Amino acid sequence: MTDPVFNTNPASMSNVRPLRGANVIAVASGKGGVGKTWFSITLAHALARAGKNALLFDGDLGLANVDIQLGFTPRHDLGQVIDGSVSLKRAAERFPDTGFDIVAGRSGSGTLATLPSQRLSGLRNDLLELARNYDYVIMDMGAGVDRTVRTLAGPAGRTLVVTTDEPTSLTDAYAFIKLTHATNPNADLRIVVNVAQSLKEGERTYNTILKACQNFLKFKPELAGIIRRDLKVRDAIRTQTPLLTRSPACDAANDVMGIAQRLIRE
């Protein structure tokens, strides 16, 4: 087996200040379409159901869609935070009937995705300050390891890397882990296997990426959890309703609740 990622240049990725938000959990992926946003929403909801004060931050600054998946029309969004018309704290709004707050992004805003480094670092610091008011902050990041993801997710206490069993998803998840580990060897990176045919198949998927990490990076990312394939997820997204509201007892809902409980027990 050969290392699926070449031409890594860690030196070019060393501009992240060593700020830390122990209660900040970044949800990331190597590629899009692996269910990262849906998982972020459901994890925030699961933590709220467990009695935790949770904030969901839509950190996909170019293709924000948390509000779209929830059918939520926020009064404020990150665009207003960036232009200085509202504070980040004011942009945090309670999503009705769920018990967690949301800072919505602004989908399709190229200006947000191309923020100057200093402004992006300021947004990160404001988020860390806001995190003091919550038990958990879940950051739904854009796919890949671009400058925005590195800056916003850098201080996170934990990063959950979402993947599926598709070869491209696995390869890109490994690339994300490799680049992030090279930048910060102490980063707490964990794997979430989504849309697994079964728990056993999910373990096989995890073992595939684990083997690559152990062989080439000498690093062992933990398994955060396995989420089984469940048609109820598609139904929840289609109806713009949180899964834990529409189908709270389905397999995928139970799997995410299990991940939330493990995070709480730490």
Side-chain angles (χ1 to χ4, degrees):
M1 183 177 180
T2 57
D3 187 333
V5 178
F6 300 93
N7 300 323
T8 304
N9 182 10
S12 67
M13 305 174 58
S14 59
N15 59 342
V16 178
R17 289 171 53 194
L19 295 175
R20 284 291 154 196
N23 61 335
V24 176
I25 300 173
V27 178
S29 67
K31 70 184 289 291
V34 297
K36 179 171 46 58
T37 296
W38 162 82
F39 170 67
S40 298
I41 292 169
T42 309
L43 180 60
H45 198 179
L47 290 167
R49 284 203 165 194
K52 300 301 179 182
N53 190 18
L55 170 70
L56 175 58
F57 176 86
D58 195 343
D60 191 348
L61 300 187
L63 297 170
N65 59 8
V66 164
D67 52 328
I68 295 171
Q69 285 205 18
L70 290 173
F72 178 53
T73 304
R75 289 175 298 172
H76 306 294
D77 62 32
L78 273 177
Q80 295 165 297
V81 176
I82 298 302
D83 67 23
S85 59
V86 300
S87 66
L88 186 61
K89 183 177 181 180
R90 189 178 174 198
E93 300 178 37
R94 177 58 51 92
F95 183 69
D97 303 323
T98 60
F100 66 92
D101 291 347
I102 293 176
V103 173
R106 178 179 288 182
S107 184
S109 176
T111 56
L112 294 181
T114 57
L115 276 178
S117 295
Q118 186 174 6
R119 192 69 190 90
L120 193 59
S121 296
L123 176 62
R124 174 200 58 194
N125 294 342
D126 289 346
L127 180 61
L128 289 175
E129 184 63 31
L130 182 61
R132 297 173 185 270
N133 300 329
Y134 293 90
D135 296 317
Y136 294 96
V137 173
I138 308 300
M139 300 174 61
D140 178 28
M141 307 306 303
V145 199
D146 65 12
R147 178 182 63 97
T148 303
V149 173
R150 297 198 307 273
T151 303
L152 291 180
R158 284 156 286 194
T159 298
L160 306 183
V161 183
V162 181
T163 186
T164 70
D165 64 353
E166 295 179 1
T168 54
S169 177
L170 283 168
T171 300
D172 290 348
Y174 172 77
F176 180 94
I177 292 170
K178 178 177 180 177
L179 294 169
T180 304
H181 183 66
T183 305
N184 179 13
N186 296 318
D188 186 344
L189 298 166
R190 309 182 189 186
I191 306 297
V192 174
V193 179
N194 194 21
V195 291
Q197 293 289 351
S198 65
L199 294 178
K200 189 173 181 178
E201 286 298 319
E203 290 174 359
R204 289 176 182 166
T205 299
Y206 167 67
N207 286 330
T208 298
I209 197 167
L210 174 64
K211 186 175 181 180
C213 291
Q214 288 179 313
N215 286 344
F216 301 113
L217 307 180
K218 312 303 178 188
F219 169 67
K220 182 181 179 181
E222 292 184 17
L223 176 64
I226 297 168
I227 304 169
R228 289 166 287 180
R229 182 184 298 275
D230 194 329
L231 293 178
K232 297 294 186 183
V233 173
R234 181 182 299 177
D235 173 68
I237 295 173
R238 181 181 58 81
T239 58
Q240 297 180 294
T241 307
L243 181 70
L244 295 184
T245 298
R246 188 166 178 84
S247 304
C250 71
D251 288 345
N254 286 327
D255 293 338
V256 178
M257 288 291 290
I259 293 173
Q261 289 296 331
R262 286 191 287 277
L263 290 170
I264 291 171
R265 287 196 295 267
E266 292 179 352

